[in-house]
């Protein structure tokens, strides 16, 4: 029989996730093209890969990733591709106990009819035995190069990857590692570009295995438990609405603005504060301890002798002053109250008394016409 080549497209694969490589054994239907002198392969089924050697006695671990009716899929801890699961391969386990996330133990074969990876002899595994990620215990420090984009941007750009980027010193070498929203240690923290952070390294075992097979090891690692580093320092100077903080073992002062002071605290030189530093500016400054001189001054003010009308008890501190005008009368002037929009009733003046004759006055003598 003469050998003939046939062409095929990925759309002709019976399963879209199957990856066909050179020397793979496949089954297909062959059609003759009417347009060109070529054979076309359709309904392509992967039967076996040259390096595959399935051992039904070898047990693997995984977790159920999908269930629908009498079948589902298992995500393996070692294999890159998911394997097909049919309930007929789980005879000793009630269907109610098989749900997404359940850890299972199984063997794998490739189906003779469709070339699909299938799980056989499936049993329940100990919960937590299927491990997909590993987290190193060592804590590293680094700087945020790219912050995580806002999730709303995904609406206008569906291909956008919601991940940030951290550069840190790992085993004596600078490495750049991505991190996700779920990798933040504190949900209310949003690391920005330039923030100093601590993190641990998480390895996605399947992704790292695929990266190593592709000759690019390290792509399965990312930063996790990311937290912004909180620094402690003392207020070195204040002026108006801003000031500077000194940190031990740092030659430069860090700028802060009063808008970043938490809980409305009033800072003075020598006060101890904690804060987050970003590009030489302090954020979320929190007063931790007042300076001793400041404390003594406050105590002295508390103990000062006050006038009788300004004294207060320990339980209540209230001062009432009655306003007086320039002439010494109580209350505010009419003009001031009207300027504040207060309507002041007009005081009616008492009617003037009628003229009365003075009986003790000298009699009126009219002047004569002639003289």
């Amino acid at each position: 029989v003469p050998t003939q080549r046939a062409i095929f497209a990925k759309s002709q694969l019976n399963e879209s996730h199957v990856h066909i490589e050179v020397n793979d054994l496949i089954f297909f239907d062959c059609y003759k093209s009417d347009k060109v002198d070529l054979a076309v392969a359709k309904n392509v089924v992967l039967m076996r890969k040259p390096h595959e050697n399935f051992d039904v006695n070898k047990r693997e671990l995984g977790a159920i990733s999908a269930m629908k009716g009498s079948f589902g899929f298992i995500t393996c801890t070692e294999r890159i591709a998911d394997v097909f699961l049919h309930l007929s391969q789980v005879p000793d386990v009630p269907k109610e106990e098989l749900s997404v996330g359940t850890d299972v133990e199984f063997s794998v074969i490739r189906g003779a009819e469709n070339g699909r990876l299938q799980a056989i002899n499936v049993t329940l595994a100990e919960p937590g035995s299927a491990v997909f990620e590993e987290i190193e215990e060592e804590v590293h420090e680094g700087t945020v190069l790219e912050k995580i984009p806002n999730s709303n941007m995904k609406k206008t750009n569906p291909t956008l990857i919601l991940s940030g980027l951290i550069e840190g010193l790992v085993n004596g070498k600078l490495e750049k590692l991505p991190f996700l929203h779920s990798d933040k240690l504190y949900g209310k923290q949003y690391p920005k570009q330039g923030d100093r952070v601590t993190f641990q390294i998480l390895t996605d075992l399947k992704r790292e295995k695929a990266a190593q097979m592709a000759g690019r090891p390290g792509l399965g690692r990312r930063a996790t438990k990311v937290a912004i580093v909180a620094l402690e320092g003392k207020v070195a100077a204040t002026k108006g609405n801003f000031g500077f903080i000194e940190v031990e073992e740092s030659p430069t002062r860090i700028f802060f603005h009063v808008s970043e002071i938490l809980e409305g605290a009033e800072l003075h030189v020598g006060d101890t504060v904690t804060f987050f530093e970003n590009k030489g500016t302090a954020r979320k400054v929190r007063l931790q301890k007042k300076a001793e001189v400041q404390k003594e001054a406050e105590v002295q003010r508390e103990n000062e002798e006050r006038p009788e009308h300004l004294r207060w008890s320990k339980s209540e501190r209230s001062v009432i002053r009655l306003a007086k005008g320039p002439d010494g009368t109580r209350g505010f002037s009419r003009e001031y109250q009207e300027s504040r929009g207060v309507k002041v009733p007009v005081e009616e003046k008492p009617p003037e008394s009628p003229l009365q004759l003075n009986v003790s006055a000298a009699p009126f003598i009219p002047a004569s016409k002639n003289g």
Side-chain angles (χ1 to χ4, degrees):
V1 179
T3 302
Q4 186 177 5
R5 292 189 175 185
I7 63 172
F8 73 96
K10 189 175 181 180
S11 58
Q12 296 300 328
L13 295 174
N14 70 325
E15 292 180 288
S16 59
H17 69 273
V18 172
H19 182 57
I20 301 295
E21 299 175 299
V22 177
N23 295 326
D24 285 351
L25 179 63
I26 60 174
F27 175 85
F28 61 94
D29 297 327
C30 187
Y31 293 85
K32 184 69 175 178
S33 175
D34 297 330
K35 298 181 180 180
V36 293
D37 187 20
L38 287 173
V40 178
K42 296 185 178 181
N43 304 322
V44 180
V45 177
L46 175 63
M47 303 302 295
R48 189 177 71 252
K49 288 182 174 291
H51 60 272
E52 286 182 336
N53 183 19
F54 295 105
D55 183 359
V56 294
N57 295 319
K58 180 183 178 182
R59 306 294 284 171
E60 300 185 21
L61 286 169
I64 297 176
S65 57
M67 284 296 296
K68 185 177 181 180
S70 60
F71 67 91
F73 290 91
I74 299 174
T75 299
C76 308
T77 57
E78 297 182 5
R79 295 179 181 273
I80 298 173
D82 290 354
V83 298
F84 179 78
L85 167 67
H86 196 273
L87 291 184
S88 61
Q89 295 296 326
V90 203
D92 300 330
V93 181
K95 182 180 178 181
E96 293 75 19
E97 296 185 23
L98 297 175
S99 58
V100 175
T102 302
D103 290 348
V104 291
E105 189 177 9
F106 53 93
S107 299
V108 178
I109 62 171
R110 189 175 289 279
E113 296 181 357
N114 52 23
R116 174 187 290 170
L117 291 176
Q118 298 180 2
I120 61 173
N121 303 327
V122 182
T123 59
L124 294 180
E126 286 292 329
S129 58
V131 179
F132 299 94
E133 298 175 337
E134 289 183 348
I135 299 177
E136 299 178 7
E137 294 183 0
E138 186 177 356
V139 179
H140 308 276
E141 287 196 9
T143 305
V144 177
L145 297 181
E146 298 177 11
K147 71 174 186 178
I148 300 175
N150 192 306
S151 57
N152 292 330
M153 298 176 64
K154 193 85 173 175
K155 298 178 182 178
T156 56
N157 186 3
T159 60
L160 180 66
I161 300 176
L162 298 179
S163 66
L165 190 64
I166 294 173
E167 184 179 55
L169 196 64
V170 180
N171 299 327
K173 296 172 58 178
L174 275 179
E175 286 192 26
K176 295 179 181 179
L177 297 166
F179 70 103
L180 310 174
H181 273 294
S182 57
D183 291 318
K184 297 185 300 180
L185 186 59
Y186 305 107
K188 293 185 178 181
Q189 283 191 355
Y190 297 91
K192 298 180 180 179
Q193 183 179 2
D195 280 348
R196 295 173 59 187
V197 294
T198 58
F199 63 93
Q200 293 173 253
I201 295 179
L202 178 147
T203 301
D204 185 324
L205 300 179
K206 288 179 59 176
R207 184 178 176 86
E208 181 61 21
K209 185 175 182 179
Q212 291 177 0
M213 293 175 62
R216 301 186 65 184
L219 293 182
R221 307 202 311 165
R222 70 175 192 266
T224 190
K225 297 186 178 180
V226 179
I228 304 175
V229 176
L231 302 177
E232 184 176 280
K234 291 188 176 182
V235 178
T238 59
K239 184 178 181 180
N241 292 332
F242 63 91
F244 292 90
I245 301 172
E246 284 183 341
V247 180
E248 290 186 7
E249 300 179 359
S250 177
T252 58
R253 293 180 173 183
I254 299 173
F255 173 86
F256 74 90
H257 192 270
V258 293
S259 60
E260 291 290 345
I261 301 175
L262 301 179
E263 301 174 355
E266 186 176 348
L267 299 184
H268 301 275
V269 175
D271 289 347
T272 302
V273 295
T274 57
F275 60 95
F276 301 125
E277 186 263 338
N278 184 293
K279 298 180 181 179
T281 301
R283 297 171 43 225
K284 297 185 178 181
V285 182
R286 186 183 299 275
L287 175 63
Q288 295 293 331
K289 183 181 179 182
K290 290 187 176 182
E292 294 298 329
V293 176
Q294 182 66 21
K295 284 185 177 180
E296 293 176 2
E298 290 185 359
V299 172
Q300 184 177 357
R301 285 197 299 269
E302 292 283 340
N303 297 332
E304 283 180 357
E305 193 69 25
R306 297 174 179 271
E308 186 67 29
H309 66 285
L310 293 180
R311 290 183 182 178
W312 50 64
S313 65
K314 292 184 179 180
S315 58
E316 294 184 4
R317 297 189 177 188
S318 59
V319 177
I320 300 176
R321 294 187 178 92
L322 296 177
K324 293 183 179 181
D327 57 353
T329 59
R330 293 181 178 180
F332 294 100
S333 65
R334 177 189 182 88
E335 291 79 5
Y336 174 77
Q337 294 187 64
E338 289 180 345
S339 67
R340 304 280 292 182
V342 180
K343 294 183 178 180
V344 182
V346 179
E347 296 181 2
E348 296 183 0
K349 295 181 179 180
E352 296 181 359
S353 58
L355 295 176
Q356 297 180 355
L357 293 176
N358 188 355
V359 294
S360 61
F364 174 69
I365 300 175
S368 62
K369 295 181 180 181
N370 297 328

